[in-house]
Amino acid sequence: MKKRQLVSAFGTTALAVALTACSSAGSPSGGARSGTTDPKAATGTVTVWLMEDAQKNWPDLVQRVNDQFAAKYPNVTLKLAYQGWADKVTRFDKALAEGFAPDVVELGNTETMKYILAGALAPVERSSFDNSDAWIKALANTCTYQDKLWCVPYYAGARVAVYNATAFQSATGNAEFPKTEDELRAALDRVADRNKSDRTYSALYLPGPYWYAAMSYVSAYGGAIARFDSSGNWHGTLNDPKSQQGIAHFVDLVRKYNKGDLAVNELNQFEAMARGHAGAFYGNPFEAASVTAPVTGDPSLKDAVKMATMPGPGGKPLPTFIGGSDLAVTAKSPVAALAADWIRMFTGTKSQQALADRDILPNNLTQLGPLKNKPATAAAANAVPDAWFTPLAPGWGAIEKQKILPDMLTAILKNNKPIDQATKDADAAIDQLINKAG
């Protein structure tokens, strides 16, 4: 499972940057062969895999950090390769198996769990990285297991409300997306009434099996999919009152506003808006682009499709499933300290500001703050502080593979299974899998 929060990168290319002619291997600590801590005496080769988002969108930042690293370690060679999302996991798995893994690897934050649990990543010291005390909590959680940090937050992403401003203007007299859920429901009622002649029109297209959205409402009420208990085990908590409250809230919205097939998932939800059958949906920013793209959508909607922060219960933004990327040192790297120092430079305050200046959400709340009021970033930036992530548990992959959460939601919405029974059954299924390594 991989959910991107940026427009996807293109095909895989590789760029090797030789900072010196030296190619001797460094010590396991990343220091010089003699054991001295003098950076100028360090030798070795550091191989970095970044995703093509960096090559396409912030190549100057990569170059600046590489130059900074070269100035500090003049006798170390840096090799940089850009990867594509479509085949990065396959390539990385092969590299690990064959013993030629990079020293630094960028991982989408839904990928980190697999490699942490497999022992493929080296622990790093949180306090040695800039702004670590202000890291976005959910993003840091994607790197944290058994009280150790196994990767470093790089940048964040968030789901937002995507809406047709023209449809809202026509129905309510206001093209702005409502700031509170009470106001949103009132607006959606008017949008629905305005389009009642189209029986397939969803004022809010919210797919029934869309568990990312459902768990956002669970999080908004203080619930969770599962929790780690004092016995050292995970257990399902969907049947807990707060979790049930969030699920009930989600189910109510789906039943009231989604006029499509409630068993259809969210993978192509943008099509409902592109075909003129939806006023709003909750999704990734790249899905807004899909609505108006020439091939996948309707370019005539370009000026109408907008993004906004999705309001949640209690007058606060709806907590989002955290998106984005992390950077990790691989477990068998012979130059682990050098690799960590490259990450330290690439995720430092100056580097994070370079991302923020490009409207990419930084890894920390301090530098995220100004983006909350910037039109281009406000929708996502306001959803991030209370973001959530899936349990970093050995059996989580099996839970996703068996579709326990979407099946629970479908049972409630299509088969009218009571929420109490459906969540009990889901917890039982989760408990069977969550503590077992896949």
Side-chain angles (χ1 to χ4, degrees):
M1 181 267 304
K2 183 74 188 68
K3 297 287 182 179
R4 298 300 309 138
Q5 305 298 330
L6 286 176
V7 176
S8 61
F10 301 104
T12 301
T13 61
L15 174 66
V17 183
L19 297 179
T20 75
C22 175
S23 61
S24 58
S27 67
S29 67
R33 286 179 182 275
S34 63
T36 177
T37 57
D38 179 8
K40 290 181 170 52
T43 58
T45 299
V46 177
T47 301
V48 177
W49 281 15
L50 286 179
M51 303 312 296
E52 287 182 336
D53 302 295
Q55 183 184 33
K56 180 182 177 182
N57 298 303
W58 47 89
D60 53 327
L61 168 58
V62 177
Q63 188 60 56
R64 180 183 64 74
V65 170
N66 288 346
D67 291 344
Q68 180 185 355
F69 187 87
K72 183 173 180 179
Y73 300 106
N75 292 306
V76 174
T77 299
L78 180 68
K79 293 183 178 179
L80 171 65
Y82 288 110
Q83 306 295 324
W85 288 110
D87 64 351
K88 191 281 298 292
V89 167
T90 300
R91 289 167 62 86
F92 187 47
D93 288 348
K94 179 179 174 64
L96 288 169
E98 297 182 0
F100 60 90
D103 302 290
V104 174
V105 62
E106 177 181 345
L107 298 170
N109 58 26
T110 60
E111 298 169 347
T112 60
M113 186 186 317
K114 169 183 175 179
Y115 296 108
I116 292 171
L117 296 173
L121 308 182
V124 290
E125 178 55 50
R126 176 169 180 157
S127 62
S128 68
F129 296 91
D130 283 1
N131 304 302
S132 60
D133 57 343
W135 279 345
I136 295 166
K137 183 178 179 181
L139 196 57
N141 285 348
T142 71
C143 288
T144 306
Y145 182 65
Q146 294 185 341
D147 297 324
K148 289 184 179 180
L149 188 73
W150 299 90
C151 52
V152 179
Y154 175 13
Y155 64 82
R159 282 170 168 76
V160 297
V162 180
Y163 72 106
N164 186 322
T166 300
F168 274 71
Q169 175 71 48
S170 298
T172 70
N174 189 350
E176 297 296 318
F177 201 71
K179 298 293 191 294
T180 69
E181 194 180 77
D182 285 346
E183 293 170 347
L184 175 60
R185 284 177 177 258
L188 291 174
D189 289 343
R190 295 173 118 183
V191 171
D193 186 64
R194 176 96 176 176
N195 294 276
K196 61 186 178 182
S197 61
D198 179 0
R199 293 186 178 182
T200 66
Y201 190 91
S202 301
L204 173 63
Y205 188 79
L206 193 59
Y210 192 2
W211 68 269
Y212 287 104
M215 296 306 109
S216 288
Y217 287 96
V218 167
S219 180
Y221 281 99
I225 299 169
R227 297 192 189 278
F228 195 69
D229 61 28
S230 57
S231 69
N233 289 303
W234 288 89
H235 63 277
T237 53
L238 292 171
N239 191 242
D240 289 1
K242 291 180 179 178
S243 298
Q244 286 197 48
Q245 197 172 5
I247 292 169
H249 193 125
F250 169 79
V251 166
D252 179 63
L253 288 172
V254 173
R255 283 179 169 156
K256 185 170 185 180
Y257 297 113
N258 182 5
K259 302 306 177 183
D261 185 341
L262 300 187
V264 173
N265 66 30
E266 77 279 8
L267 293 182
N268 295 308
Q269 62 180 343
F270 68 88
E271 292 179 351
M273 182 174 289
R275 293 172 181 170
H277 299 304
F281 66 88
Y282 180 59
N284 298 292
F286 66 77
E287 293 177 86
S290 297
V291 174
T292 60
V295 176
T296 60
D298 181 356
S300 70
L301 294 175
K302 182 177 180 181
D303 293 333
V305 176
K306 308 290 183 184
M307 293 186 291
T309 303
M310 187 71 169
K316 297 179 67 177
L318 184 66
T320 180
F321 174 80
I322 195 70
S325 276
D326 303 310
L327 294 164
V329 178
T330 52
K332 294 184 179 181
S333 170
V335 287
L338 291 171
D341 207 22
W342 187 90
I343 294 175
R344 195 171 290 111
M345 296 175 187
F346 198 63
T347 58
T349 300
K350 187 174 181 180
S351 297
Q352 288 292 301
Q353 191 56 50
L355 294 179
D357 290 343
R358 287 170 172 78
D359 296 336
I360 303 300
L361 304 187
N363 66 10
N364 66 91
L365 296 174
T366 303
Q367 291 174 284
L368 179 75
L371 300 187
K372 293 181 178 182
N373 299 311
K374 190 175 180 181
T377 54
N382 282 289
V384 161
D386 294 323
W388 61 277
F389 193 65
T390 53
L392 206 63
W396 178 253
I399 291 168
E400 282 204 43
K401 187 176 181 179
Q402 293 196 20
K403 300 181 179 180
I404 290 172
L405 298 184
D407 285 353
M408 174 193 72
L409 295 169
T410 299
I412 295 168
L413 286 158
K414 290 286 284 186
N415 303 327
N416 293 314
K417 192 174 192 177
I419 289 175
D420 183 61
Q421 186 59 53
T423 53
K424 280 182 181 177
D425 293 345
D427 279 352
I430 288 171
D431 289 347
Q432 288 293 316
L433 299 170
I434 195 165
N435 295 297
K436 299 176 183 178

